[in-house]
Every structure is written in C-alpha cells, then in structure tokens.
Amino acid sequence: MHTKNLDVHSYNILMGNHNKSKKILLLYTLVSLGFLIFLWVMFLTVIKSRHLPSTYAKESSRAVRGNIISADGFHLATTKKLYKAVVNTRYIDPDKKKLFVELFSIYSGIDSKTIEKKLSKRKGVVVLSYKISQIQAHYLKKLARELRRFKVFLELKNAKTGLRSIHGLSVIESGESREYPYGKLLTPIIGYPHKLEEDGYTSVSGVKGLEKRFDSELSASQNGSSRGKRDVNSYIILNKDSFTKAEIDGLDLKLTIPISLQIKMEKMLDGMKEKLQAKQLMLSIMNSNNGDIYTIASSNRFLPKHIKRSDYPSLNAGMIEYSFEPGSVIKPITFSLLLEHGLVNPYDLVNGHNGRFKIGRKVITDEHKFDWLSAENVIVYSSNIGIAQLAQKLSGYEFYEGLKSFGFGEKSTPDLIYEKVGSVPSPKRLENEIYKATCSYGYGMKANLMQVMRAYSAFNNNGRMVYPKLVTGFINERGILEKMPYEEQVQVISSVTAQRMKKILIKTVNVGTGKKARTAGLLIGGKTGTAHIVEKGKYVHKYNTAFMGFANDETHNYSIGVIVVQPTTSHFASQTAVPIFKKAVDILIEDGYLKPDVIKQPSTTYQGLH
C-alpha cells in the first residue's frame, strides 16, 4: 500500500514537471515569436519611406542689381528687395486671430482693417502683402517665431498624409524694385528698366539710358545659398560641414556727374524753358582736357516708376538722340579746316555784298549787312555770305574728310546708347558750290549736341578732341572702384590752328554775337547758331538755337554746349542760348568749379585781332 502511494506520488511529480516544461516551452515560443515580430516591424520601419523632419536645412538668397552712383556718392538708382507675407488661415487659432492681426499690423505697417479684410475673403493660403521691405521682412520673421511660441497657430492633421503639422506666417523673397530716390533727376540719361518674371521672382532689366547700356554689368552675378545641419530652431549650424555660396550683386556704376551741380542746372533749365516758351532745353558741361562730363541736363524729364503717355517724347536722351541742322555753330569748324589747309589768312578781306549774295540759284542773306570784313570777323559777326565764299576754297573731299575727322556722322561717346549720329553730305555733293556754301554754315548736315561738344573740345585742348565720358568706373563687391580707361584723344587740328580759333571765339564773345556770355575774370569763348527747322520737307518759321563754347580759369577748362529747341519768345541764339550759357557759368562759379581772376581780365588775350 505504501509502495502504491509512492508510485502515485512519483507519477504526479513527473506529470507536474512535464506540464511545467510545456509552459516554459510555450512561454519561450511566445517570447521568441514576439521578438521576431519586433524585428520584422523594425525592419519594415527601416525600409519604409517616412516623413521625418530633415536634420539638414537649406537657405537661398537672391543677389540684386547694382546701383548708379553720382560723382559725389549719392545713389541715383538703387534696388530694394521685396518680400511677400503669406499665412494659411486654417492654422490660425480663432481665439488668437485678433492678436495675430494686431501684431502683424504693427510689424508690417499695414492697417489692421486691411489685414482682416484679406483674411476674411478666403480660407486657406492668403498673401497679406507683396511689398514687404527688407527691414520689415527681418522683423516679421522674428514675429513668426514668436507667434509659434505663443501657439497662435494650431497643429492640424493633413487629411491626405495623416501627418500633423503647423503652418505659420511665412515671409518669402518675391522680387526686387528699382528705386530712383531723386525722382526726375538725370532720368533721360539714367534711363529706366522693365520687369522680368522668373519662377515667381520679379527682377528688372534695362530698357534705355545707362540702365540699358550697362545692363550686363549692373545685373546680379550670383545668387547666394547655404546648406548644413540645423538646430532646434531650424537655423543652419555654420561649421566645417556646412556649405555657403555668397551672393554677388551687380556692379555699382560710378558717374562723373556730381548730383549737387546737376540739380542746380536742371532747376535753371526748368525756369528758362518757361521763360523762353521752348519745346526743350539741353545743356552739357565737360572737362575739355579729358572728356569728363559734369552736367548733362535736359528740361524734359520723367519719373521712371510712373511713366505716362505724355512722357514718351522725354524718354529719349535728346543730347544724343535729337539730331538737327546745327546752323552757325559749324562756321568755326569750317574756318578751322580752311586754316589747317592754309587756304585762308585771318586778316584776309571778305566781301559782305551788303547782306545779300547769290551762288548759283541760291540767295544767301545775312541778318546784319556788311560791306567788307576780315576773314576772322566772318566768325565773330557770324556772316553766312562770308563763310559761304571762303568755303569754296575747300575741295568736296577736303570738306567731307574734315567734318568726318571732327566726329560728325559717328558716335560721340561709348557711354550712351541709341545715339543718332546724324549725317554729312558726300564728297561728291560737297563739290557742288551750293551744298558747300550751305554746309559751311550748318545746313544740309545733321548732328547732335554731344557731337558738336566733342568737336569744340579741340579748340580748348590744343587741337585734341576728347570723347565725352559719363562713367568713372565700376565698384565691385569688395567696394573697390575699377576705373574705366579714357578713350584716346584725336589730334584733329594742329595746336597752332586750335590756338588761333580759340582767340577768335574769345573775340566773338567779347565784341561779337556772344557778348551776353561775358564773365569778368574768366576766359570765355564761343559761337552762336540759329537754324530753321524742316517740317514735311520744307523750312518753316520755327528754329533751334545753340551756343557752343568754353569757360576757363587758371586751372579749369570746360567745354559748354546749349541747345534750345523751338523757342517762341525769340529765334536769336544771343537772346535764348547765350543767357543759358551765362547762367550755367554763374552756377559753376557759385559752386567753386570756376574761380574768376578779377585782376587779370581776359580781354588782353584778343588784343591785336582785327
């Protein structure tokens, strides 16, 4: 009995151990299975594409167009970056919408009612402004971070992806705006741009003037970009592993023209235009020795950002794009060619024919009647009859080549674009005595202001003709001025001829047609010109008047040119163009560009001339 009980007990123990082993095996199997499932899930997690936030960040910035800067350092044309402020209305907490509106209004300067109106117009993405300035954009980006911190924006689930995200206030570069801080100042020369759209970004490109001529130099060279690991605020951590490409803006264009002088000259022209009731007035002042332009002004200007239909005629730079028959200002050019070829002596006598002379079928008249006068006085008193007779001594080829050598019929300056170079009669045509006569006093040919200015520079620069220069050079990204070289001067007449012509032009001012240009203590010379205007192939009773000359002191030599287009109060250059020249000289004195010597009078320089 005892043995039987022992066997039963042993059996129970064996069965208990067996059951326990089963349980352990089951547990082990379950653990193993769980571990395998875990590994499988991890594997799937690794290989599955996930929308995890990148540990890297990338930023980009646009380079901008270069500035146009005056000689005295003022920005005449500059570029302002523009940003747009964008918000998704669905993410704004309704309880904090008013807070958002008020803060955005304070930071942007936009009226809160305007913001509320935009937000209420539609749900979803709303552009609050396209014209956020760079400084405003900086502060609005800071505001965007603060709004996130104060949970003004809700975290919402995307119905498509199932992911939760926050879309707050975004401030994005949208383009650039070309600004002209001084309004109409120098605008026919500066020109204007037009807008270009590329990938949602607005940039500008030059259309006229310096903006067009130097468009490639002014245009941005390289946009900036940065890439690297980001911190918790999504800022790029700048270290050896990050990459940065600097933005390179367009080159700045440095001009030879001081803004202070330009302002005064333009204001003077505005007043004289009203007084003379003229269509347009143009003035240019140039260093006779190197071609640097100090003033190139027109009474007809425009606002580059607000061009109206009535502004269209003013968009052209009249100094190079208005081609006209120059009239009597060509007489000194003709006379200098005669002197250069040894065909005339300044003291030769010329018959004035009492103010009326016939060449072929052409009757030539003078405003003032002369009997006899010296050859140089043909210039001093501006005799058409006198110069027409003297010009017959030149062959057609000599006359043509002479005018071409003085730069007529070719570009006057490389710094401006769309120049109308005018025309010179052919050598064959100039063999005709009538064409030779009329061309000798500025009819039958065409020129612009800068061409005549350039030609006259030879009289004030020992026979060497300079190219008008408006651009000093370019300022690069390091702030270094890279100067543009001067064009080579052309020895168009001998120094002896130039000196003789200079004395004749001084005499013209002191006793001849340019007397109103006299200024005590300065060496002033020049020549008046009046020419009929052609309309529909016929000369009409409308005129252009001109005065071309120079004003010098002991250390400065300036060539100065004035054109008055269709004055109505008078058609005499002595009453229209000469007073403008005189006012320009007075301004040069006031601003210290000329210093008269009141002791040494200029009249002594022409004593002995007849």
Side-chain angles (χ1 to χ4, degrees):
M1 188 71 180
H2 178 72
T3 305
K4 188 178 180 179
N5 289 338
L6 182 62
D7 289 340
V8 172
H9 180 69
S10 299
Y11 175 77
N12 288 335
I13 291 171
L14 287 171
M15 288 304 292
N17 288 338
H18 180 70
N19 290 335
K20 192 174 183 181
S21 297
K22 274 184 169 182
K23 289 180 181 177
I24 292 170
L25 180 62
L26 180 62
L27 181 62
Y28 178 78
T29 303
L30 289 172
V31 170
S32 298
L33 184 62
F35 184 68
L36 287 171
I37 292 170
F38 172 74
L39 289 176
W40 179 249
V41 170
M42 289 298 291
F43 175 72
L44 290 176
T45 304
V46 169
I47 65 171
K48 186 180 178 182
S49 177
R50 294 172 299 158
H51 297 282
L52 293 175
S54 174
T55 58
Y56 283 84
K58 186 177 180 180
E59 291 180 358
S60 62
S61 60
R62 295 267 189 165
V64 296
R65 190 174 179 85
N67 305 302
I68 298 176
I69 305 173
S70 68
D72 42 0
F74 293 91
H75 286 55
L76 304 175
T78 187
T79 297
K80 182 173 73 174
K81 273 190 177 183
L82 295 178
Y83 295 77
K84 62 181 178 182
V86 183
V87 70
N88 192 323
T89 59
R90 292 189 178 92
Y91 288 83
I92 300 174
D93 186 338
D95 294 332
K96 297 176 181 177
K97 183 179 177 181
K98 190 174 181 182
L99 173 65
F100 170 79
V101 170
E102 291 300 326
L103 286 173
F104 186 86
S105 174
I106 292 168
Y107 276 73
S108 67
I110 301 171
D111 184 65
S112 57
K113 289 181 180 177
T114 304
I115 300 164
E116 283 178 354
K117 191 175 179 181
K118 287 188 176 184
L119 292 175
S120 61
K121 266 188 176 181
R122 56 172 294 179
K123 283 189 176 182
V125 177
V126 174
V127 179
L128 297 172
S129 175
Y130 284 97
K131 295 182 179 180
I132 301 292
S133 68
Q134 195 164 4
I135 188 67
Q136 284 176 325
H138 173 73
Y139 289 119
L140 283 171
K141 284 178 180 179
K142 283 187 174 181
L143 173 64
R145 290 193 290 272
E146 292 301 306
L147 292 173
R148 273 175 173 263
R149 194 162 67 89
F150 287 105
K151 298 181 179 179
V152 172
F153 302 107
L154 301 172
E155 186 177 345
L156 301 179
K157 186 177 181 179
N158 189 305
K160 291 182 179 179
T161 64
L163 298 173
R164 301 183 72 84
S165 62
I166 298 175
H167 285 265
L169 174 66
S170 299
V171 183
I172 310 160
E173 279 188 42
S174 61
E176 56 188 59
S177 172
R178 197 64 167 163
E179 300 296 318
Y180 299 89
Y182 296 92
K184 295 182 177 183
L185 187 78
L186 200 63
T187 46
I189 298 300
I190 293 173
Y192 62 93
H194 69 146
K195 292 180 180 179
L196 298 173
E197 293 287 341
E198 184 182 356
D199 298 328
Y201 188 86
T202 304
S203 59
V204 297
S205 177
V207 176
K208 290 280 285 182
L210 296 170
E211 293 276 26
K212 175 65 176 178
R213 169 65 182 85
F214 296 101
D215 189 52
S216 59
E217 291 85 355
L218 288 165
S219 295
S221 298
Q222 175 179 283
N223 292 325
S225 64
S226 298
R227 188 179 186 281
K229 286 189 175 181
R230 64 178 181 83
D231 61 19
V232 292
N233 292 315
S234 296
Y235 289 117
I236 294 173
I237 301 169
L238 298 174
N239 56 27
K240 63 183 179 66
D241 297 320
S242 62
F243 168 79
T244 300
K245 182 173 72 172
E247 60 186 60
I248 302 176
D249 295 335
L251 298 174
D252 289 343
L253 198 65
K254 184 74 177 285
L255 304 185
T256 60
I257 303 165
I259 190 175
S260 55
L261 185 63
Q262 182 74 18
I263 288 171
K264 290 184 179 181
M265 293 297 178
E266 287 187 359
K267 187 177 180 181
M268 180 268 288
L269 289 186
D270 292 344
M272 288 301 291
K273 180 185 179 183
E274 188 175 343
K275 182 179 179 180
L276 298 173
Q277 293 296 295
K279 199 170 182 179
Q280 184 178 12
L281 274 59
M282 291 175 278
L283 165 71
S284 186
I285 301 172
M286 178 178 75
N287 185 320
S288 303
N289 303 128
N290 63 16
D292 281 351
I293 295 290
Y294 286 81
T295 290
I296 184 165
S298 170
S299 61
N300 294 13
R301 304 183 299 281
F302 59 92
L303 290 170
K305 296 196 72 176
H306 304 283
I307 294 172
K308 299 174 290 188
R309 184 176 291 275
S310 59
D311 291 324
Y312 288 176
S314 303
L315 300 181
N316 297 331
M319 306 77 167
I320 59 160
E321 294 185 69
Y322 181 70
S323 187
F324 60 98
E325 289 183 304
S328 293
V329 292
I330 292 299
K331 289 174 184 172
I333 307 294
T334 306
F335 198 81
S336 69
L337 294 175
L338 289 162
L339 286 174
E340 191 70 6
H341 287 285
L343 299 174
V344 70
N345 185 302
Y347 306 119
D348 290 343
L349 289 178
V350 180
N351 192 341
H353 295 281
N354 204 31
R356 188 177 177 85
F357 180 64
K358 192 174 184 181
I359 294 182
R361 291 177 297 174
K362 172 74 175 175
V363 176
I364 299 172
T365 60
D366 278 335
E367 194 72 38
H368 303 287
K369 296 178 181 180
F370 299 102
D371 188 4
W372 291 89
L373 69 169
S374 68
E376 70 176 26
N377 280 347
V378 166
I379 304 300
V380 173
Y381 298 110
S382 197
S383 170
N384 293 341
I385 292 170
I387 198 67
Q389 293 176 88
L390 291 172
Q392 302 305 318
K393 298 174 183 288
L394 289 164
S395 71
Y397 178 79
E398 286 171 336
F399 201 1
Y400 172 82
E401 284 297 313
L403 291 172
K404 293 292 285 185
S405 70
F406 266 100
F408 295 105
E410 66 177 41
K411 283 195 69 171
S412 63
T413 172
D415 290 352
L416 294 173
I417 198 168
Y418 302 133
E419 180 168 358
K420 291 184 179 177
V421 297
S423 59
V424 174
S426 67
K428 185 178 179 180
R429 180 161 281 188
L430 286 173
E431 284 294 344
N432 180 285
E433 61 179 359
I434 295 176
Y435 275 105
K436 194 180 293 182
T438 55
C439 193
S440 71
Y441 53 81
Y443 281 87
M445 63 175 290
K446 282 193 171 183
N448 61 55
L449 169 60
M450 299 311 290
Q451 286 175 323
V452 185
M453 279 274 294
R454 183 175 175 233
Y456 265 68
S457 69
F459 302 141
N460 204 31
N461 190 36
N462 291 312
R464 294 190 304 275
M465 194 170 60
V466 299
Y467 281 91
K469 182 179 173 67
L470 289 84
V471 178
T472 300
F474 302 99
I475 301 172
N476 62 25
E477 68 275 8
R478 300 186 303 276
I480 298 170
L481 175 64
E482 298 172 355
K483 291 189 176 182
M484 284 184 68
Y486 287 91
E487 298 286 330
E488 187 177 351
Q489 297 184 10
V490 180
Q491 189 76 45
V492 63
I493 52 176
S494 68
S495 178
V496 173
T497 299
Q499 287 299 321
R500 190 72 203 188
M501 287 307 306
K502 187 173 183 176
K503 289 179 180 179
I504 292 171
L505 292 173
I506 291 168
K507 184 179 179 183
T508 302
V509 166
N510 281 283
V511 301
T513 57
K515 284 185 283 189
K516 289 182 179 178
R518 286 182 296 189
T519 300
L522 295 177
L523 207 60
I524 307 285
K527 179 71 188 77
T528 54
T530 301
H532 282 270
I533 290 173
V534 175
E535 288 184 359
K536 296 180 181 178
K538 292 183 179 180
Y539 287 105
V540 296
H541 291 293
K542 295 178 182 178
Y543 303 86
N544 290 329
T545 65
F547 188 77
M548 298 288 165
F550 54 83
N552 304 340
D553 61 14
E554 290 292 331
T555 55
H556 304 97
N557 298 324
Y558 297 110
S559 294
I560 303 175
V562 177
I563 301 292
V564 181
V565 180
Q566 296 185 35
T568 55
T569 56
S570 171
H571 68 271
F572 294 112
S574 59
Q575 297 173 15
T576 55
V578 176
I580 294 170
F581 179 99
K582 178 65 169 68
K583 285 179 179 291
V585 170
D586 290 343
I587 293 170
L588 288 172
I589 294 169
E590 287 172 13
D591 283 22
Y593 291 92
L594 283 170
K595 297 178 181 177
D597 185 345
V598 293
I599 298 173
K600 183 180 177 182
Q601 294 298 317
S603 58
T604 56
T605 59
Y606 67 88
Q607 284 179 356
L609 296 180
H610 304 285

